[in-house]
Amino acid sequence: MLSLPLSLFFLLFVHLSVQQFPRFCATPEALTSRSCCPPWPGDGSACGANSGRGFCQDVVVSDLPDGPQYPHSGLDDREQWPLAFFNRTCQCAGNFMGYNCNECKFGYYGPTCAERRESVRRNIFSLSAAEKQTFISYLNLAKNTISPEYVIATSTRAQMNGINGTVNPLFANVSIYDLFVWMHYYVSRDTLLGGPGNIWQDVDFAHEASAFLPWHRFFLLFWEHEIRKLTGDFNFTIPYWDWRDARDCQVCTDELMGGQSSLDPNFISPASIFSSWKVICTLPEIYNAEETLCDGVGEGPLFRNPGNHDPNRVRRLPTSADVEFVLGLSDYETGSLDRRANMSFRNALEGFASPETGMAVLGQSTMHNAIHVFMNGSMSSVQGSANDPIFLLHHAFIDSIFERWLRKHQPPRSHYPTSNAPIGHNDGYYMVPFIPLNKNGEYFLGTKALGYEYAYLLDPSQRFMQEFLTPYLQHVQQIWPWLVGAGVLGGVLAAIITSLIIFTCYRGSKNQKRSAYGERRPLLHSSDEEATASYQTTL
C-alpha cells in the first residue's frame, strides 16, 4: 500500500505524457472546440508556445488513397485519425514531444531535451533474480495504478453527441497497464456499421499490413516510457524472449510470467502474481452486439495453456532457420500490401506467409502469429492479446528482428508504402490512437535513432558488458553488505583460530623444552650465515 506522500509523488511524476485520451482533452469544451492543445506547466501557454516548445496547429491528414480492403467512409472514428475528435493538436519543435510538448523525444533527456541516452533491452534470461522480480513488480504496479492523466473512450464519437449540439463525454478511468491493453484493442477492433451485430471485420489499423512493425515499435517505446515515469527508474527497459528453436513456453514459470495452475492448466499458477490479474477488452462479440466499445471493466482472470492449440493452425514454433530466411527477404512489402502478400518481409515476419518459401499461406499461423496462437489463451486473440504480459517479451523480440532487417538491407523511407496500403497503413497516416500525432513512416527507422539497442545485436565486447559483466556487478552490488559482513566475520574467525593454533603450539613447545632440558631455551632462526646443520630449532 503506497503511503500518501508517495502516492502524490506518483501522481505528479506521471503528470504529463503521451497517450489517448488526455483528461484535459476529454471534456465537453475540448470535444466541442475539437482542439487538444493543453498548456505546458512551464509557462502556462498552449503547447509551451511562449517558450518555443511547440504550437497549437491544424491537423492536416494525408489524402493519398488507401487499399480496397475497407470500402466505407465516415463510419469509423479511426478514419483520418484524429479528425473525428480533434482538428487541432500540439505540434512540438526540436526534440520536444508529448501532447503538450512537455516530454523529450525517445533517446533524449534533460531540461532542453538536448542530451542523448541509449538504453539496452536484454534477454530476460540474462537478468539477475532481483532484476526479474523488479520487472514483474513494475508490471504489477502499473496494473494496479489508475492512470492520473488518461482515460479511455467507452463509446463512439457519434454516441457522445447529445441533443441541441451538446456533447456528453463518455470516458472511463483505467490503470496504466490496461491503458495499453485498451489501445491495442481499439486499434484492431471491428468497425460498427450501425445496428446490432452489423460490423466490418476486414479492418485493422496496426496489423495485417505495412504499419504492423512501426506501430508496435512506437507502442513498446511508450509502454517502456510510462513504466519509467511511474517507477522513477529511467534505466528500465523491456526485456525480450528469444524464442528461436524453443519447444515450449520457456518463460511460463512462476519465477517469470507464471506457470500453469495445478488445479486447471488453462489458468496461471496461484504462486504467480499474474494469477490475480483481470483481463479487459476480450469480448468483441458482446461489444459488437451492443454497439459499444470496451469500457475497461475486468472480464475474468488471465488464462493461457501453451501448447494445447490447434496443431493444424500452428505446426511448430519458429526456428533460427525461419528467422534467417525471413531476414533474407529484401522487399518490405509486395503485391496487395496485406496478409496475402508474397515474398514480403513484413508479411512473413507477422506470420501470414511461410518462413520457408515466403509465400502467403491460408489457415496457418507462422512466426509472430505462431507464438500468439501457441499460448492458447488471452494471447491468442488479437484484440485482447496485450492482457498477457508475455506480449511485451514477444513483441520486443519481434522488434529486434525488424531491427536486424533494417540493418541488413538499409532501406530508404521511400520503400515504405505511401499509398494503396489498407486503411491506416500508408506512410503519412497518423498512428491510431496516439496523441500527439506520429506517422507510420516516421518509425520505419533504426533503434539507435530512437535511443535504444538490443543486447544480442551489440558487438562482442559490448554484449559481454551488458549481458554478463553488468548483471554480475549489479548482483555484487546488491549483496555487497552481506559480502562485507561475511568478510569481517571470516576475518574474526580466522584470527581466533590462528591465535588458538599459535597458543597451542607455544604451550606444546614450552612443555617439550622443559622436559628435555629442564629450562626454557630461545628458538633459533637460520640465516644465510647460520644455515648450517649445527643450528637446529627445538621444533
Side-chain angles (χ1 to χ4, degrees), residues 53 74 78 91-92 110 139 235 250 269 306 347 351 370 410 455 474 491:
R53 300 180 73 94
R78 299 167 296 180
Q91 304 294 313
C92 302
L139 294 184
N235 292 318
Q250 300 163 322
S269 164
N347 203 38
Q410 299 185 354
Q474 290 174 340

Side-chain angles (χ1 to χ4, degrees), residues 115-134:
E115 299 177 71
R116 287 284 292 169
R117 170 174 27 213
E118 183 175 282
S119 304
V120 178
R121 292 179 180 169
R122 294 160 53 199
N123 189 322
I124 192 166
F125 292 109
S126 74
L127 304 184
S128 68
E131 288 172 325
K132 292 172 185 174
Q133 186 56 47
T134 296

Side-chain angles (χ1 to χ4, degrees), residues 32-349:
T32 299
S33 67
R34 305 172 69 81
S35 177
C36 182
C37 294
W40 176 54
D43 62 15
S45 64
C47 312
N50 292 345
S51 300
R53 300 180 73 94
F55 304 92
C56 186
Q57 296 184 349
D58 292 340
V59 175
V60 179
V61 299
S62 172
D63 59 357
L64 294 177
D66 300 314
Q69 296 85 353
Y70 179 79
H72 306 286
S73 178
L75 295 177
D76 194 309
D77 291 342
R78 299 167 296 180
E79 297 175 26
Q80 296 186 311
W81 180 262
L83 295 186
F85 294 95
F86 309 109
N87 56 25
R88 287 177 64 80
T89 64
C90 290
Q91 304 294 313
C92 302
N95 294 328
F96 298 114
M97 182 180 74
Y99 69 78
N100 63 351
C101 302
N102 185 66
E103 305 279 342
C104 295
K105 285 184 177 180
F106 302 124
Y108 291 90
Y109 72 101
T112 61
C113 299
E115 299 177 71
R116 287 284 292 169
R117 170 174 27 213
E118 183 175 282
S119 304
V120 178
R121 292 179 180 169
R122 294 160 53 199
N123 189 322
I124 192 166
F125 292 109
S126 74
L127 304 184
S128 68
E131 288 172 325
K132 292 172 185 174
Q133 186 56 47
T134 296
F135 171 58
I136 293 170
S137 66
Y138 283 179
L139 294 184
N140 197 51
L141 178 62
K143 181 73 172 180
N144 291 283
T145 302
I146 295 297
S147 174
E149 284 300 306
Y150 309 105
V151 290
I152 59 173
T154 58
S155 70
T156 66
R157 180 63 178 84
Q159 292 168 341
M160 295 185 192
N161 293 331
I163 59 176
N164 301 323
T166 60
V167 176
N168 179 29
L170 297 173
F171 298 93
N173 288 323
V174 69
S175 76
I176 293 172
Y177 185 98
D178 286 345
L179 175 66
F180 289 89
V181 177
W182 184 88
M183 287 192 292
H184 196 265
Y185 146 80
Y186 187 83
V187 78
S188 57
R189 69 175 178 84
D190 302 324
T191 294
L192 305 176
L193 299 177
N198 185 18
I199 61 170
W200 184 265
Q201 290 184 306
D202 193 12
V203 61
D204 192 314
F205 290 75
H207 302 85
E208 303 184 19
S210 313
F212 168 69
L213 293 168
W215 190 93
H216 283 84
R217 172 159 287 189
F218 183 87
F219 186 58
L220 289 186
L221 279 166
F222 269 115
W223 205 329
E224 195 170 65
H225 188 61
E226 289 302 303
I227 291 178
R228 287 176 176 178
K229 295 198 301 177
L230 170 65
T231 63
D233 181 359
F234 285 87
N235 292 318
F236 169 78
T237 54
I238 295 173
Y240 59 87
W241 170 31
D242 184 346
W243 36 247
R244 289 174 296 184
D245 304 312
R247 296 185 178 274
D248 54 24
C249 180
Q250 300 163 322
V251 296
C252 294
T253 66
D254 288 338
E255 180 193 22
L256 294 175
M257 315 317 289
Q260 289 180 285
S261 171
S262 59
L263 302 177
D264 188 334
N266 291 307
F267 296 101
I268 308 298
S269 164
S272 169
I273 189 63
F274 300 119
S275 65
S276 65
W277 282 25
K278 301 298 181 184
V279 299
I280 66 170
C281 304
T282 61
L283 304 173
E285 295 82 5
I286 294 179
Y287 313 144
N288 292 341
E290 297 179 353
E291 298 180 82
T292 188
L293 304 182
C294 167
D295 59 6
V297 174
E299 298 169 344
L302 176 68
F303 69 100
R304 75 170 83 98
N305 192 343
N308 191 28
H309 61 284
D310 181 358
N312 294 320
R313 178 85 179 273
V314 175
R315 297 178 178 177
R316 59 177 175 78
L317 292 180
T319 66
S320 297
D322 294 337
V323 172
E324 295 307 314
F325 177 87
V326 171
L327 286 170
L329 297 173
S330 59
D331 292 327
Y332 183 75
E333 280 291 9
T334 63
S336 57
L337 310 179
D338 59 15
R339 64 179 178 271
R340 294 177 288 272
N342 295 319
M343 307 304 290
S344 155
F345 165 73
R346 188 277 315 159
N347 203 38
L349 180 56

Side-chain angles (χ1 to χ4, degrees), residues 285-424:
E285 295 82 5
I286 294 179
Y287 313 144
N288 292 341
E290 297 179 353
E291 298 180 82
T292 188
L293 304 182
C294 167
D295 59 6
V297 174
E299 298 169 344
L302 176 68
F303 69 100
R304 75 170 83 98
N305 192 343
N308 191 28
H309 61 284
D310 181 358
N312 294 320
R313 178 85 179 273
V314 175
R315 297 178 178 177
R316 59 177 175 78
L317 292 180
T319 66
S320 297
D322 294 337
V323 172
E324 295 307 314
F325 177 87
V326 171
L327 286 170
L329 297 173
S330 59
D331 292 327
Y332 183 75
E333 280 291 9
T334 63
S336 57
L337 310 179
D338 59 15
R339 64 179 178 271
R340 294 177 288 272
N342 295 319
M343 307 304 290
S344 155
F345 165 73
R346 188 277 315 159
N347 203 38
L349 180 56
E350 189 170 359
F352 294 104
S354 168
E356 297 174 314
T357 66
M359 303 301 290
V361 291
L362 298 177
Q364 293 184 28
S365 296
T366 66
M367 300 302 287
H368 155 267
N369 291 345
I371 299 295
H372 279 278
V373 175
F374 175 81
M375 292 301 166
N376 190 38
S378 303
M379 269 273 282
S380 59
S381 172
V382 175
Q383 295 183 19
S385 60
N387 278 292
D388 192 328
I390 290 178
F391 178 100
L392 287 166
L393 310 181
H394 172 42
H395 271 274
F397 192 61
I398 290 293
D399 185 69
S400 77
I401 298 174
F402 177 34
E403 180 62 20
R404 289 183 63 189
W405 184 85
L406 289 171
R407 295 184 187 185
K408 178 182 178 70
H409 299 281
Q410 299 185 354
R413 182 170 171 176
S414 59
H415 281 206
Y416 188 94
T418 57
S419 63
N420 297 318
I423 187 170

